[in-house]
Amino acid sequence: MPRVNLVEPVVMLATVIQWLVLASITGVVVGAGTSIFLHGLFFFTDATASVPLWLQMTLLPVGGLLNGLLLYYGYKRNTTGLKDSIIAAVHKQSGKMPFKTLAIKPIAAIITLACGGSAGKEGPCSHIGGSLASGIGRIFKLNSELQKRIVACGVSAGFASVFGTPIAGAIYGVEVLAIGRIRHDFLFPAIVAGITSFEISKFLGIPYQYYSLNLLPQFSEILFIKTIVIGILCGIVAWIFVDMVGLVRAAFGQLRMKSNLWPPLMPLLGGLLLAALILVIPTDYLGLSLPLMDKALDGQAMPYLGFFWKTLLVAITLGSGFYGGIVTPQFVIGTIAGNAFAPLLGLSPSLGAAVGLVAVVASASNTPIAAVLMGMELFGGTIGTVYLAGAGIAAYLIIGHRSVYPDQLIAYSKSSWLQVRPDMPLGQEKIHLSYGLLRWWGQFRAKQGPRYWRQLLAWWRQSKQQ
């Protein structure tokens, strides 16, 4: 008989108790911090929600200049050499984040959204969560490995608090760190911190909205295939979104370098461009655009190019130097696109909107598990989850190795036909065709290729004669 080893279960029990305490403390602190930010954001955005067009056109460049000045001078206070990127903090900085710059991004996001910039509210919350958790880790003098975990659970707490989806938010904060890999040792702290933060935010009066899909029939294979098609289309929409944000950011960067412009002027130029565009694009696409998402999920018809207008405004806002989140825009873009595409396949627009939301978040952020869980928490129901899952995974594959987070690592390739170096940031890694695929293609061209093209040419000639 093997000897009973009591050491391991005692150690694991101690680990559970350790993270119950640390993650609960983190969740309370992060929940309070994000709630303060969200109340401030709601106050200022409500104050500017119904301003006339001329004032909106004035606020955009003013907000851009204020963003530029705040970010330019504020980050000069950061003498630590540490980046305030949560992904970089976990992968490169042993869980350390600069504390002096904690308030810069939340204030910049309030300015951006109150002035009409098209962005999201979750970025500042994840930043608050990561920064506060990093500070808690330093207070408790955690080692580098524990410091990484507590920062990750702080980020999860921030996402859970802002979205009102404690489980999905917790998983998102862990899954977003790398493509194709989830650190399971991060999950328990993340979930505890996420649930705690969510409950604290509810206690402090943060409102959350949930939706219910219309009564769906029993599982249908045809409906499942149709929702996968919606997922593929929304994956392409996410592809456009990711690439457009990157292209606009690169264009503004080149303009600044070639013209030698003072950095705070770049978001000012972005604000002027946004002010000109809203003469032809409805102002509904400015700010968070949550009323558009509500209409799409309610089944009201959305324009086919609605997702493009929102993408364009978000790309200019964030690419020019405004600060804001990039996940809430994915919600809006996904619901608009899914709503518009659904009638083409004979689907309910509200179901298409729900599927589109999950598909765009799964693909643009490379977080398919968190996106599906988010759909479950936002929409409820087990039958609908089947359709959300199929569409989300399809979109995640279609977008390939792209992401709204350039620092995101690639742990594993999404296809056996593509080859990547593991644990390289997306912005630095080049994707290559696998050797096996190249060898098969060479053999095909050498043996079957010429005969195939001769047969195709003969068929074309025959069809022309008929």
Side-chain angles (χ1 to χ4, degrees):
M1 294 293 291
R3 187 178 61 181
V4 177
N5 188 348
L6 296 179
V7 175
E8 184 178 20
V10 170
V11 170
M12 300 317 297
L13 177 61
T15 301
V16 170
I17 295 173
Q18 174 193 44
W19 282 113
L20 272 175
V21 175
L22 288 176
S24 296
I25 294 172
T26 302
V28 170
V29 174
V30 173
T34 55
S35 297
I36 292 170
F37 163 75
L38 290 171
H39 278 302
L41 176 66
F42 296 153
F43 174 81
F44 285 103
T45 53
D46 288 346
T48 59
S50 302
V51 297
L53 182 62
W54 68 268
L55 182 54
Q56 184 69 80
M57 295 178 67
T58 304
L59 286 174
L60 284 165
V62 170
L65 181 60
L66 291 175
N67 257 267
L69 293 171
L70 176 61
L71 295 172
Y72 181 71
Y73 287 106
Y75 277 109
K76 285 191 172 182
R77 297 184 59 195
N78 181 15
T79 58
T80 63
L82 297 173
K83 296 181 179 180
D84 66 350
S85 162
I86 54 176
I87 296 179
V90 173
H91 292 310
K92 299 179 180 179
Q93 298 172 179
S94 299
K96 296 179 181 179
M97 294 186 68
F99 196 75
K100 288 184 178 180
T101 58
L102 168 64
I104 293 177
K105 284 185 175 180
I107 294 173
I110 289 175
I111 294 172
T112 294
L113 294 167
C115 293
S118 191
K121 59 184 178 180
E122 76 296 325
C125 291
S126 65
H127 173 74
I128 291 170
S131 299
L132 291 177
S134 177
I136 293 171
R138 294 185 188 185
I139 291 173
F140 285 101
K141 297 182 180 180
L142 302 180
N143 61 40
S144 61
E145 186 60 31
L146 295 181
Q147 184 76 13
K148 292 179 184 179
R149 297 187 193 188
I150 201 168
V151 168
C153 77
V155 173
S156 295
F159 279 119
S161 179
V162 70
F163 292 141
T165 54
I167 304 302
I171 301 300
Y172 187 97
V174 177
E175 191 177 15
V176 76
L177 298 174
I179 297 175
R181 180 181 63 209
I182 294 180
R183 287 284 300 267
H184 292 100
D185 52 335
F186 285 19
L187 290 181
F188 181 71
I191 290 174
V192 172
I195 293 173
T196 304
S197 177
F198 170 67
E199 293 297 332
I200 290 294
S201 293
K202 279 202 306 182
F203 176 77
L204 294 176
I206 299 300
Y208 298 107
Q209 185 170 0
Y210 301 95
Y211 308 86
S212 59
L213 293 176
N214 294 329
L215 185 63
L216 293 173
Q218 292 299 316
F219 176 74
S220 164
E221 290 81 0
I222 298 299
L223 183 57
F224 182 64
I225 296 298
K226 288 182 177 180
T227 52
I228 287 179
V229 173
I230 295 290
I232 292 172
L233 294 174
C234 287
I236 296 172
V237 166
W239 184 337
I240 295 170
F241 173 63
V242 171
D243 282 0
M244 186 171 290
V245 171
L247 287 172
V248 172
R249 183 174 285 127
F252 273 96
Q254 290 181 359
L255 176 63
R256 184 177 69 83
M257 293 184 63
K258 290 182 178 179
S259 304
N260 198 24
L261 290 174
W262 190 38
L265 293 180
M266 300 313 298
L268 170 63
L269 294 177
L272 291 171
L273 182 55
L274 290 171
L277 285 173
I278 61 173
L279 292 173
V280 293
I281 298 175
T283 56
D284 294 344
Y285 295 95
L286 292 176
L288 293 169
S289 302
L290 295 181
L292 283 176
M293 185 177 79
D294 293 340
K295 291 178 181 178
L297 289 168
D298 191 45
Q300 299 182 38
M302 293 286 111
Y304 290 113
L305 289 178
F307 78 88
F308 181 79
W309 302 134
K310 181 64 179 177
T311 295
L312 178 62
L313 296 186
V314 172
I316 294 172
T317 299
L318 300 180
S320 65
F322 283 84
Y323 177 74
I326 202 166
V327 180
T328 307
Q330 296 173 42
F331 283 25
V332 178
I333 291 168
T335 53
I336 292 173
N339 176 291
F341 296 148
L344 299 177
L345 298 172
L347 297 180
S348 161
S350 59
L351 174 60
V355 167
L357 184 154
V358 170
V360 171
V361 173
S363 52
S365 297
N366 287 299
T367 53
I369 297 174
V372 173
L373 290 172
M374 193 172 293
M376 293 175 63
E377 292 187 285
L378 286 175
F379 308 120
T382 55
I383 296 178
T385 302
V386 175
Y387 305 121
L388 299 178
I393 301 299
Y396 166 77
L397 294 174
I398 285 296
I399 198 172
H401 300 85
R402 293 170 179 79
S403 176
V404 292
Y405 302 109
D407 291 339
Q408 201 171 42
L409 299 188
I410 306 178
Y412 294 98
S413 171
K414 295 183 182 182
S415 172
S416 60
W417 291 343
L418 296 174
Q419 188 175 17
V420 299
R421 287 181 296 172
D423 295 328
M424 288 291 294
L426 274 173
Q428 301 176 19
E429 176 60 345
K430 294 182 178 180
I431 313 299
H432 304 280
L433 292 176
S434 68
Y435 173 73
L437 179 61
L438 291 174
R439 184 178 62 181
W440 173 84
W441 177 246
Q443 292 174 348
F444 173 80
R445 291 186 62 185
K447 297 180 180 179
Q448 303 296 332
R451 184 176 64 181
Y452 170 79
W453 291 113
R454 286 195 299 269
Q455 291 175 348
L456 183 62
L457 180 61
W459 173 83
W460 180 78
R461 288 174 175 173
Q462 184 179 3
S463 63
K464 290 287 287 183
Q465 292 175 356
Q466 294 176 350

